[in-house]
Coordinates of all heavy atoms in Angstrom, one line a residue:
M127 N 5.9 -25.4 14.8 CA 6.5 -24.8 13.6 C 5.6 -23.9 12.9 O 6.1 -22.9 12.3 CB 7.0 -26.0 12.8 CG 7.9 -25.6 11.7 SD 9.4 -24.9 12.3 CE 10.3 -24.6 10.9
N128 N 4.3 -24.2 12.9 CA 3.3 -23.4 12.2 C 3.3 -22.0 12.8 O 3.1 -21.0 12.0 CB 2.0 -24.0 12.2 CG 1.9 -25.2 11.2 OD1 2.7 -25.3 10.3 ND2 0.9 -26.0 11.4
R129 N 3.4 -21.9 14.1 CA 3.4 -20.6 14.7 C 4.6 -19.7 14.4 O 4.5 -18.5 14.2 CB 3.3 -20.7 16.2 CG 1.9 -21.2 16.7 CD 1.9 -21.4 18.2 NE 0.7 -22.0 18.6 CZ -0.1 -21.6 19.6 NH1 0.3 -20.5 20.3 NH2 -1.2 -22.2 19.9
I130 N 5.7 -20.4 14.2 CA 7.0 -19.7 13.8 C 6.8 -19.2 12.4 O 7.2 -18.1 12.1 CB 8.2 -20.6 14.0 CG1 8.4 -20.9 15.5 CG2 9.4 -20.0 13.4 CD1 9.5 -21.9 15.7
K131 N 6.3 -20.0 11.5 CA 6.0 -19.6 10.1 C 5.1 -18.5 10.1 O 5.3 -17.5 9.3 CB 5.5 -20.8 9.3 CG 6.5 -21.7 8.7 CD 5.8 -22.7 7.8 CE 6.8 -23.5 7.1 NZ 6.1 -24.5 6.2
A132 N 4.0 -18.5 10.8 CA 3.0 -17.5 10.8 C 3.6 -16.2 11.4 O 3.3 -15.1 10.8 CB 1.8 -17.9 11.7
F133 N 4.4 -16.3 12.4 CA 5.1 -15.1 13.0 C 6.0 -14.5 11.9 O 6.0 -13.2 11.7 CB 5.9 -15.5 14.2 CG 6.5 -14.4 14.9 CD1 5.8 -13.5 15.7 CD2 7.9 -14.2 14.8 CE1 6.4 -12.4 16.4 CE2 8.5 -13.1 15.5 CZ 7.7 -12.2 16.3
G134 N 6.8 -15.3 11.3 CA 7.7 -14.8 10.2 C 6.9 -14.2 9.0 O 7.3 -13.1 8.5
A135 N 5.8 -14.8 8.6 CA 5.0 -14.3 7.5 C 4.4 -13.0 7.9 O 4.3 -12.1 7.1 CB 3.9 -15.3 7.2
F136 N 4.0 -12.8 9.1 CA 3.4 -11.6 9.6 C 4.4 -10.5 9.5 O 4.1 -9.4 8.9 CB 2.9 -11.7 11.0 CG 2.6 -10.3 11.6 CD1 1.5 -9.6 11.3 CD2 3.6 -9.7 12.5 CE1 1.3 -8.3 11.8 CE2 3.4 -8.5 13.1 CZ 2.2 -7.8 12.7
W137 N 5.6 -10.7 10.0 CA 6.6 -9.6 10.0 C 7.1 -9.3 8.6 O 7.4 -8.2 8.2 CB 7.8 -10.0 10.9 CG 7.4 -9.7 12.3 CD1 7.1 -10.6 13.3 CD2 7.2 -8.4 12.9 NE1 6.8 -9.9 14.4 CE2 6.8 -8.5 14.2 CE3 7.3 -7.1 12.4 CZ2 6.5 -7.5 15.1 CZ3 7.0 -6.0 13.2 CH2 6.6 -6.2 14.5
Y138 N 7.2 -10.3 7.7 CA 7.6 -10.1 6.3 C 6.5 -9.2 5.7 O 6.8 -8.3 5.0 CB 7.7 -11.4 5.6 CG 8.0 -11.2 4.1 CD1 9.4 -11.0 3.7 CD2 7.0 -11.3 3.2 CE1 9.7 -10.8 2.4 CE2 7.4 -11.1 1.8 CZ 8.7 -10.9 1.5 OH 9.0 -10.7 0.1
D139 N 5.2 -9.6 5.8 CA 4.2 -8.8 5.2 C 4.1 -7.4 5.8 O 3.8 -6.5 5.1 CB 2.8 -9.6 5.4 CG 1.7 -9.0 4.6 OD1 2.0 -8.6 3.4 OD2 0.6 -8.9 5.1
F140 N 4.3 -7.3 7.1 CA 4.3 -6.0 7.8 C 5.4 -5.1 7.3 O 5.2 -3.9 7.1 CB 4.3 -6.2 9.3 CG 4.2 -4.9 10.1 CD1 3.0 -4.2 10.2 CD2 5.3 -4.4 10.7 CE1 2.9 -3.1 10.9 CE2 5.2 -3.2 11.4 CZ 4.0 -2.5 11.5
V141 N 6.6 -5.6 7.2 CA 7.7 -4.8 6.9 C 7.9 -4.6 5.4 O 8.0 -3.5 4.9 CB 9.1 -5.4 7.4 CG1 10.3 -4.6 6.9 CG2 9.0 -5.4 9.0
I142 N 7.8 -5.7 4.6 CA 8.0 -5.6 3.2 C 6.7 -5.1 2.5 O 6.7 -4.3 1.7 CB 8.4 -7.0 2.6 CG1 9.7 -7.4 3.3 CG2 8.6 -6.9 1.1 CD1 10.9 -6.5 3.2
G143 N 5.5 -5.7 2.9 CA 4.3 -5.3 2.3 C 4.2 -5.6 0.8 O 4.6 -6.7 0.4
D144 N 3.6 -4.7 0.1 CA 3.4 -4.9 -1.3 C 4.7 -4.6 -2.2 O 4.8 -5.0 -3.3 CB 2.3 -4.0 -1.8 CG 0.9 -4.5 -1.3 OD1 0.8 -5.7 -1.0 OD2 0.0 -3.6 -1.2
D145 N 5.5 -3.7 -1.6 CA 6.6 -3.2 -2.4 C 7.9 -3.3 -1.6 O 8.1 -2.5 -0.6 CB 6.3 -1.8 -2.9 CG 7.3 -1.4 -4.0 OD1 8.2 -2.2 -4.4 OD2 7.2 -0.2 -4.5
W146 N 8.8 -4.1 -1.9 CA 10.1 -4.2 -1.2 C 11.0 -3.0 -1.4 O 11.9 -2.7 -0.6 CB 10.8 -5.5 -1.5 CG 11.3 -5.5 -2.9 CD1 10.7 -6.0 -4.0 CD2 12.6 -5.1 -3.4 NE1 11.5 -5.9 -5.1 CE2 12.7 -5.3 -4.8 CE3 13.7 -4.5 -2.8 CZ2 13.8 -5.0 -5.5 CZ3 14.8 -4.2 -3.5 CH2 14.8 -4.4 -4.9
H147 N 10.7 -2.2 -2.5 CA 11.6 -1.1 -2.7 C 11.4 0.0 -1.6 O 12.3 0.7 -1.2 CB 11.2 -0.4 -4.1 CG 11.6 -1.3 -5.2 ND1 10.6 -2.1 -5.9 CD2 12.7 -1.6 -5.8 CE1 11.2 -2.8 -6.8 NE2 12.5 -2.5 -6.8
V148 N 10.2 0.2 -1.2 CA 9.9 1.1 -0.1 C 10.6 0.7 1.2 O 11.2 1.5 1.9 CB 8.4 1.3 0.1 CG1 8.1 2.2 1.3 CG2 7.7 1.9 -1.1
A149 N 10.5 -0.6 1.5 CA 11.2 -1.1 2.7 C 12.7 -0.9 2.6 O 13.4 -0.5 3.6 CB 10.8 -2.5 2.9
A150 N 13.2 -1.1 1.4 CA 14.7 -1.0 1.2 C 15.1 0.5 1.3 O 16.1 0.8 1.9 CB 15.1 -1.5 -0.1
L151 N 14.2 1.4 0.9 CA 14.5 2.8 1.0 C 14.5 3.3 2.4 O 15.4 4.1 2.9 CB 13.6 3.7 0.1 CG 13.9 5.1 -0.1 CD1 15.2 5.3 -0.7 CD2 12.8 5.8 -0.9
V152 N 13.6 2.8 3.2 CA 13.5 3.2 4.6 C 14.7 2.6 5.4 O 15.3 3.2 6.2 CB 12.2 2.7 5.2 CG1 12.2 2.9 6.7 CG2 11.0 3.5 4.6
V153 N 15.1 1.3 5.1 CA 16.3 0.7 5.7 C 17.5 1.5 5.3 O 18.4 1.8 6.2 CB 16.4 -0.7 5.3 CG1 17.8 -1.3 5.7 CG2 15.3 -1.5 6.0
A154 N 17.6 2.0 4.1 CA 18.8 2.8 3.7 C 18.8 4.1 4.4 O 19.9 4.6 4.8 CB 18.7 3.0 2.2
G155 N 17.6 4.7 4.7 CA 17.5 5.9 5.4 C 18.0 5.7 6.9 O 18.7 6.5 7.5
L156 N 17.5 4.6 7.5 CA 18.0 4.3 8.8 C 19.5 4.1 8.9 O 20.1 4.6 9.8 CB 17.3 3.0 9.3 CG 15.8 3.1 9.8 CD1 15.2 1.8 9.9 CD2 15.8 3.9 11.1
A157 N 20.0 3.4 7.9 CA 21.5 3.1 7.9 C 22.3 4.4 7.7 O 23.3 4.7 8.5 CB 21.8 2.1 6.8
L158 N 21.9 5.3 6.8 CA 22.6 6.5 6.6 C 22.5 7.4 7.8 O 23.4 8.1 8.2 CB 22.0 7.2 5.3 CG 22.8 8.4 4.8 CD1 24.3 8.0 4.6 CD2 22.2 9.0 3.6
T159 N 21.3 7.5 8.4 CA 21.1 8.3 9.6 C 22.0 7.8 10.7 O 22.7 8.6 11.4 CB 19.7 8.3 10.1 OG1 18.8 8.7 9.0 CG2 19.5 9.1 11.3
A160 N 22.1 6.5 10.9 CA 23.0 5.9 12.0 C 24.4 6.2 11.7 O 25.2 6.6 12.6 CB 22.7 4.4 12.1
I161 N 24.8 6.1 10.4 CA 26.2 6.3 10.0 C 26.6 7.8 10.3 O 27.6 8.1 10.9 CB 26.5 5.9 8.6 CG1 26.5 4.4 8.5 CG2 27.8 6.4 8.1 CD1 26.5 3.9 7.1
L162 N 25.7 8.7 9.8 CA 26.0 10.1 10.0 C 26.1 10.5 11.5 O 26.9 11.3 11.9 CB 25.0 11.0 9.2 CG 25.2 11.0 7.7 CD1 24.0 11.8 7.1 CD2 26.5 11.7 7.3
T163 N 25.2 9.9 12.2 CA 25.1 10.3 13.7 C 26.3 9.7 14.4 O 26.9 10.4 15.2 CB 23.8 9.7 14.3 OG1 22.7 10.3 13.5 CG2 23.7 10.1 15.7
H164 N 26.6 8.4 14.2 CA 27.6 7.8 15.1 C 29.1 7.9 14.5 O 30.0 8.0 15.3 CB 27.3 6.3 15.3 CG 26.0 6.1 16.0 ND1 25.9 6.5 17.4 CD2 24.8 5.6 15.7 CE1 24.7 6.2 17.8 NE2 24.0 5.7 16.8
V165 N 29.2 8.0 13.3 CA 30.6 8.0 12.7 C 31.0 9.5 12.5 O 32.1 9.9 12.9 CB 30.6 7.2 11.4 CG1 32.0 7.4 10.7 CG2 30.4 5.8 11.6
A166 N 30.1 10.2 11.8 CA 30.5 11.6 11.5 C 30.1 12.6 12.6 O 30.6 13.8 12.5 CB 29.8 12.0 10.2
G167 N 29.3 12.2 13.5 CA 28.9 13.1 14.6 C 27.9 14.2 14.2 O 27.9 15.2 14.9
V168 N 27.2 13.9 13.1 CA 26.3 14.9 12.7 C 24.9 14.7 13.3 O 24.5 13.5 13.5 CB 26.1 14.8 11.1 CG1 25.0 15.7 10.6 CG2 27.4 15.0 10.4
N169 N 24.2 15.7 13.7 CA 22.9 15.6 14.2 C 21.9 15.4 13.1 O 21.4 16.3 12.5 CB 22.5 16.9 15.0 CG 21.2 16.7 15.8 OD1 20.6 15.6 15.8 ND2 20.8 17.8 16.3
A170 N 21.7 14.1 12.7 CA 21.0 13.8 11.4 C 19.6 13.2 11.7 O 19.1 12.4 10.9 CB 21.8 12.8 10.6
W171 N 18.9 13.7 12.7 CA 17.6 13.2 13.0 C 16.6 13.5 11.8 O 15.6 12.8 11.6 CB 17.0 13.8 14.3 CG 16.9 15.3 14.2 CD1 17.8 16.3 14.5 CD2 15.7 16.0 13.6 NE1 17.3 17.5 14.3 CE2 16.0 17.4 13.7 CE3 14.5 15.6 13.1 CZ2 15.2 18.4 13.3 CZ3 13.6 16.6 12.7 CH2 14.0 18.0 12.8
W172 N 16.9 14.6 11.1 CA 16.0 15.0 10.0 C 16.1 14.2 8.8 O 15.2 14.3 7.9 CB 16.4 16.5 9.6 CG 17.8 16.6 9.4 CD1 18.8 16.9 10.3 CD2 18.5 16.4 8.2 NE1 20.0 16.9 9.7 CE2 19.9 16.6 8.4 CE3 18.1 16.0 6.9 CZ2 20.8 16.4 7.4 CZ3 19.1 15.8 5.9 CH2 20.4 16.1 6.2
L173 N 17.1 13.3 8.6 CA 17.3 12.6 7.4 C 16.3 11.5 7.2 O 15.8 11.2 6.1 CB 18.7 12.0 7.4 CG 19.2 11.4 6.1 CD1 19.1 12.4 5.0 CD2 20.6 10.8 6.2
L174 N 15.9 10.8 8.3 CA 15.0 9.7 8.2 C 13.6 10.1 7.7 O 13.0 9.5 6.8 CB 14.9 8.9 9.5 CG 14.0 7.6 9.4 CD1 14.5 6.7 8.4 CD2 13.9 7.0 10.8
P175 N 13.0 11.2 8.2 CA 11.8 11.7 7.7 C 11.9 12.1 6.2 O 10.9 11.9 5.4 CB 11.4 12.9 8.5 CG 12.1 12.7 9.8 CD 13.4 12.0 9.5
V176 N 13.0 12.6 5.8 CA 13.2 12.9 4.3 C 13.1 11.6 3.5 O 12.5 11.5 2.5 CB 14.5 13.6 4.1 CG1 14.9 13.7 2.6 CG2 14.5 15.0 4.8
F177 N 13.8 10.5 4.0 CA 13.7 9.2 3.3 C 12.3 8.7 3.3 O 11.9 8.1 2.2 CB 14.7 8.2 3.9 CG 16.1 8.2 3.3 CD1 17.0 9.2 3.7 CD2 16.4 7.3 2.4 CE1 18.3 9.2 3.1 CE2 17.7 7.3 1.8 CZ 18.6 8.2 2.2
V178 N 11.6 8.7 4.4 CA 10.3 8.2 4.4 C 9.3 9.0 3.5 O 8.5 8.4 2.8 CB 9.7 8.2 5.9 CG1 8.3 7.9 6.0 CG2 10.5 7.2 6.7
F179 N 9.5 10.3 3.5 CA 8.7 11.1 2.6 C 9.0 10.8 1.1 O 8.1 10.7 0.3 CB 8.9 12.6 2.9 CG 8.0 13.5 2.0 CD1 6.7 13.6 2.3 CD2 8.6 14.2 1.0 CE1 5.9 14.5 1.5 CE2 7.8 15.0 0.2 CZ 6.5 15.2 0.4
A180 N 10.3 10.6 0.8 CA 10.7 10.3 -0.5 C 10.1 8.9 -0.9 O 9.6 8.7 -2.1 CB 12.2 10.2 -0.7
A181 N 10.1 8.0 0.0 CA 9.5 6.6 -0.3 C 8.0 6.8 -0.5 O 7.5 6.1 -1.4 CB 9.8 5.7 0.9
L182 N 7.3 7.6 0.2 CA 5.9 7.8 0.1 C 5.6 8.4 -1.3 O 4.7 8.0 -2.0 CB 5.3 8.7 1.2 CG 3.9 9.2 1.0 CD1 3.0 7.9 1.1 CD2 3.6 10.2 2.0
V183 N 6.4 9.5 -1.7 CA 6.2 10.1 -3.0 C 6.4 9.1 -4.1 O 5.7 9.1 -5.1 CB 7.1 11.4 -3.1 CG1 7.1 11.9 -4.5 CG2 6.6 12.4 -2.1
W184 N 7.5 8.4 -4.0 CA 7.8 7.4 -5.0 C 6.8 6.4 -5.2 O 6.3 6.0 -6.3 CB 9.2 6.8 -4.7 CG 9.6 5.8 -5.8 CD1 10.1 6.0 -7.0 CD2 9.5 4.4 -5.6 NE1 10.3 4.8 -7.6 CE2 10.0 3.8 -6.8 CE3 9.1 3.5 -4.6 CZ2 10.0 2.4 -7.0 CZ3 9.1 2.1 -4.8 CH2 9.6 1.6 -6.0
S185 N 6.3 5.9 -4.0 CA 5.2 4.8 -4.1 C 3.9 5.4 -4.6 O 3.3 4.7 -5.4 CB 5.0 4.3 -2.6 OG 4.0 3.4 -2.6
L186 N 3.6 6.6 -4.3 CA 2.3 7.2 -4.8 C 2.5 7.4 -6.3 O 1.6 7.2 -7.1 CB 2.0 8.5 -4.1 CG 1.4 8.3 -2.7 CD1 1.2 9.6 -2.0 CD2 0.1 7.5 -2.7
H187 N 3.6 7.9 -6.7 CA 3.9 8.1 -8.2 C 3.8 6.8 -8.9 O 3.2 6.8 -10.0 CB 5.3 8.8 -8.4 CG 5.6 8.9 -9.8 ND1 5.0 9.8 -10.7 CD2 6.5 8.3 -10.6 CE1 5.5 9.7 -11.9 NE2 6.5 8.7 -11.8
K188 N 4.4 5.8 -8.4 CA 4.3 4.5 -9.1 C 2.9 4.0 -9.1 O 2.5 3.4 -10.1 CB 5.2 3.5 -8.3 CG 5.4 2.2 -8.9 CD 6.3 1.3 -8.1 CE 6.2 -0.1 -8.5 NZ 6.9 -1.0 -7.6
A189 N 2.1 4.2 -8.1 CA 0.7 3.7 -8.1 C -0.2 4.5 -9.0 O -1.2 4.0 -9.4 CB 0.2 3.7 -6.7
T190 N 0.2 5.7 -9.3 CA -0.7 6.6 -10.1 C -0.2 6.9 -11.5 O -0.8 7.8 -12.1 CB -1.0 7.9 -9.3 OG1 0.3 8.6 -9.1 CG2 -1.7 7.7 -8.0
T191 N 0.7 6.2 -12.0 CA 1.2 6.4 -13.3 C 0.1 5.9 -14.3 O -0.8 5.1 -14.0 CB 2.5 5.6 -13.6 OG1 2.3 4.3 -13.4 CG2 3.6 6.2 -12.8
T192 N 0.2 6.3 -15.5 CA -0.8 5.9 -16.5 C -0.8 4.4 -16.7 O -1.9 3.8 -17.0 CB -0.5 6.6 -17.9 OG1 0.9 6.3 -18.3 CG2 -0.6 8.1 -17.8
K193 N 0.3 3.7 -16.6 CA 0.3 2.3 -16.8 C -0.5 1.6 -15.7 O -1.3 0.7 -16.0 CB 1.8 1.7 -16.7 CG 1.9 0.3 -16.9 CD 3.4 -0.1 -16.9 CE 3.5 -1.6 -17.0 NZ 4.9 -2.0 -16.9
S194 N -0.4 2.1 -14.4 CA -1.2 1.5 -13.3 C -2.6 1.9 -13.5 O -3.5 1.1 -13.2 CB -0.6 2.0 -12.0 OG 0.7 1.6 -11.8
L195 N -2.9 3.1 -13.9 CA -4.3 3.5 -14.1 C -4.9 2.8 -15.2 O -6.1 2.5 -15.1 CB -4.3 5.0 -14.3 CG -4.0 5.9 -13.1 CD1 -4.0 7.4 -13.5 CD2 -4.9 5.6 -11.9
S196 N -4.2 2.5 -16.3 CA -4.8 1.8 -17.4 C -5.1 0.4 -17.0 O -6.1 -0.2 -17.5 CB -3.9 1.9 -18.6 OG -2.7 1.2 -18.4
R197 N -4.3 -0.2 -16.2 CA -4.5 -1.6 -15.7 C -5.8 -1.6 -14.8 O -6.6 -2.5 -15.0 CB -3.3 -2.1 -14.9 CG -2.9 -3.5 -15.2 CD -1.7 -3.9 -14.4 NE -0.7 -2.9 -14.3 CZ 0.1 -2.7 -13.3 NH1 0.0 -3.5 -12.3 NH2 1.0 -1.8 -13.3
A198 N -6.0 -0.6 -14.0 CA -7.2 -0.5 -13.2 C -8.4 -0.3 -14.0 O -9.5 -0.8 -13.8 CB -7.0 0.6 -12.1
A199 N -8.3 0.6 -15.0 CA -9.4 0.8 -15.9 C -9.8 -0.4 -16.7 O -11.0 -0.7 -16.9 CB -9.1 2.0 -16.9
A200 N -8.8 -1.2 -17.1 CA -9.1 -2.4 -17.8 C -9.8 -3.4 -16.9 O -10.7 -4.1 -17.4 CB -7.8 -3.0 -18.4
S201 N -9.4 -3.5 -15.7 CA -10.1 -4.4 -14.8 C -11.5 -4.0 -14.5 O -12.4 -4.8 -14.3 CB -9.3 -4.6 -13.5 OG -9.4 -3.4 -12.7
L202 N -11.8 -2.7 -14.5 CA -13.2 -2.2 -14.3 C -14.0 -2.4 -15.6 O -15.2 -2.6 -15.5 CB -13.1 -0.7 -14.0 CG -12.7 -0.3 -12.6 CD1 -12.6 1.2 -12.5 CD2 -13.6 -0.9 -11.5
A203 N -13.4 -2.3 -16.8 CA -14.1 -2.5 -18.0 C -14.5 -3.9 -18.2 O -15.5 -4.2 -19.0 CB -13.2 -2.1 -19.2
T204 N -13.9 -4.9 -17.6 CA -14.3 -6.3 -17.8 C -15.5 -6.6 -17.0 O -16.1 -7.7 -17.2 CB -13.1 -7.2 -17.3 OG1 -12.9 -7.0 -15.9 CG2 -11.9 -7.0 -18.1
G205 N -16.0 -5.7 -16.2 CA -17.3 -5.9 -15.5 C -17.0 -6.5 -14.1 O -15.9 -6.7 -13.7
P206 N -18.1 -6.6 -13.4 CA -18.0 -7.0 -12.0 C -17.6 -8.5 -11.9 O -17.8 -9.3 -12.8 CB -19.5 -6.9 -11.5 CG -20.3 -6.9 -12.7 CD -19.5 -6.3 -13.8
S207 N -17.0 -8.8 -10.8 CA -16.6 -10.2 -10.6 C -17.8 -11.1 -10.3 O -18.9 -10.6 -10.1 CB -15.7 -10.3 -9.3 OG -16.4 -10.0 -8.2
P208 N -17.7 -12.4 -10.5 CA -18.8 -13.3 -10.3 C -19.4 -13.2 -8.8 O -20.5 -13.6 -8.6 CB -18.3 -14.7 -10.6 CG -16.9 -14.5 -10.9 CD -16.5 -13.1 -10.9
H209 N -18.6 -12.7 -7.9 CA -19.0 -12.6 -6.5 C -19.5 -11.2 -6.2 O -19.6 -10.8 -5.0 CB -17.8 -13.0 -5.6 CG -17.3 -14.3 -5.9 ND1 -18.0 -15.5 -5.6 CD2 -16.1 -14.7 -6.4 CE1 -17.3 -16.5 -6.0 NE2 -16.1 -16.1 -6.5
H210 N -19.8 -10.4 -7.2 CA -20.2 -9.0 -7.0 C -21.6 -9.0 -6.3 O -22.5 -9.7 -6.7 CB -20.3 -8.3 -8.4 CG -20.8 -6.9 -8.3 ND1 -20.0 -5.9 -7.8 CD2 -22.0 -6.3 -8.6 CE1 -20.7 -4.8 -7.8 NE2 -21.9 -5.0 -8.3
V211 N -21.7 -8.2 -5.3 CA -22.9 -8.1 -4.6 C -23.6 -6.9 -5.0 O -23.1 -5.8 -5.0 CB -22.7 -8.0 -3.0 CG1 -24.0 -7.8 -2.3 CG2 -22.0 -9.3 -2.6
T212 N -24.9 -7.0 -5.5 CA -25.6 -5.8 -5.9 C -26.2 -5.1 -4.8 O -26.5 -5.7 -3.7 CB -26.7 -6.2 -6.9 OG1 -27.6 -7.1 -6.2 CG2 -26.2 -6.9 -8.1
D213 N -26.4 -3.8 -4.9 CA -27.0 -3.0 -3.9 C -28.5 -3.2 -4.0 O -29.1 -2.8 -5.0 CB -26.6 -1.5 -4.2 CG -27.1 -0.6 -3.0 OD1 -27.6 -1.1 -2.1 OD2 -26.9 0.6 -3.2
R214 N -29.1 -3.7 -3.0 CA -30.5 -3.9 -3.0 C -31.4 -2.6 -3.0 O -32.5 -2.7 -3.4 CB -30.9 -4.7 -1.8 CG -30.4 -6.1 -1.8 CD -30.9 -6.9 -0.6 NE -30.2 -8.2 -0.6 CZ -30.7 -9.3 -1.1 NH1 -31.9 -9.3 -1.7 NH2 -30.1 -10.4 -1.0
R215 N -30.8 -1.5 -2.7 CA -31.5 -0.3 -2.8 C -31.7 0.2 -4.2 O -32.6 1.0 -4.5 CB -30.8 0.8 -2.0 CG -30.8 0.5 -0.5 CD -29.9 1.6 0.2 NE -28.5 1.3 -0.2 CZ -27.5 2.1 0.1 NH1 -27.7 3.1 0.8 NH2 -26.3 1.8 -0.3
S216 N -31.0 -0.4 -5.1 CA -31.1 0.1 -6.5 C -32.3 -0.6 -7.3 O -32.6 -0.2 -8.4 CB -29.8 -0.2 -7.3 OG -29.6 -1.5 -7.4
S217 N -32.9 -1.6 -6.7 CA -34.0 -2.2 -7.4 C -35.2 -2.3 -6.5 O -35.0 -2.3 -5.3 CB -33.6 -3.6 -7.8 OG -33.3 -4.4 -6.7
P218 N -36.4 -2.2 -7.1 CA -37.6 -2.3 -6.2 C -37.8 -3.6 -5.4 O -37.2 -4.6 -5.9 CB -38.7 -2.0 -7.2 CG -38.2 -2.4 -8.5 CD -36.7 -2.2 -8.5
A219 N -38.4 -3.5 -4.3 CA -38.7 -4.7 -3.6 C -39.6 -5.6 -4.4 O -40.4 -5.2 -5.2 CB -39.4 -4.3 -2.2
P220 N -39.5 -7.0 -4.1 CA -40.3 -7.9 -4.8 C -41.8 -7.6 -4.6 O -42.2 -7.3 -3.5 CB -40.0 -9.3 -4.2 CG -38.6 -9.1 -3.6 CD -38.5 -7.6 -3.2
G221 N -42.6 -7.6 -5.7 CA -44.0 -7.3 -5.6 C -44.3 -5.8 -5.6 O -45.5 -5.4 -5.6
S222 N -43.3 -5.0 -5.7 CA -43.5 -3.5 -5.7 C -43.6 -3.1 -7.2 O -43.0 -3.6 -8.0 CB -42.3 -2.8 -5.1 OG -42.5 -1.4 -5.3
S223 N -44.5 -2.1 -7.4 CA -44.7 -1.6 -8.8 C -43.9 -0.4 -9.0 O -43.9 0.2 -10.1 CB -46.2 -1.4 -9.0 OG -46.6 -0.4 -8.2
R224 N -43.2 0.1 -8.0 CA -42.4 1.3 -8.1 C -41.1 1.0 -9.0 O -40.5 0.0 -8.9 CB -41.9 1.7 -6.7 CG -41.6 3.1 -6.5 CD -41.3 3.4 -5.1 NE -39.9 3.5 -4.9 CZ -39.3 3.5 -3.7 NH1 -40.0 3.3 -2.6 NH2 -38.0 3.6 -3.6
S225 N -40.8 2.0 -9.8 CA -39.7 1.8 -10.7 C -38.7 3.0 -10.4 O -39.1 4.1 -10.1 CB -40.1 1.8 -12.2 OG -40.7 3.0 -12.5
F226 N -37.4 2.7 -10.7 CA -36.4 3.7 -10.5 C -35.9 4.2 -11.8 O -35.8 3.4 -12.8 CB -35.2 3.1 -9.7 CG -35.6 2.8 -8.2 CD1 -36.0 1.5 -7.9 CD2 -35.6 3.8 -7.3 CE1 -36.3 1.2 -6.6 CE2 -35.9 3.5 -6.0 CZ -36.3 2.2 -5.6
P227 N -35.5 5.4 -11.9 CA -34.9 5.9 -13.2 C -33.6 5.2 -13.5 O -32.8 4.9 -12.5 CB -34.7 7.4 -13.0 CG -34.8 7.6 -11.5 CD -35.6 6.5 -10.9
A228 N -33.3 5.0 -14.7 CA -32.0 4.3 -15.1 C -30.8 5.3 -14.9 O -31.0 6.5 -15.1 CB -32.0 3.9 -16.5
G229 N -29.7 4.7 -14.5 CA -28.5 5.5 -14.4 C -28.1 5.9 -13.1 O -27.3 6.3 -12.5

């Protein structure tokens, strides 16, 4: 049963991901393309890339709005996490008298 759950969780995460709206927009594009092709007889191969591009633009717009950016800036302002790893190149080796400029 654990393998079935893991399989389902993988596909849910792969298809839905972080935003179910994007997945719904792509499914709507697939459905509309299929309907136009099979019911109306229209050569609608171009419609799905339009939907995918629209989903990409919408997702990028949503991720880069001022609300999202202010949230990211607030998380940066709180400082590093307790698990933050410092870059050893920024400080002198133990026992070294060499100093680095600040900044």
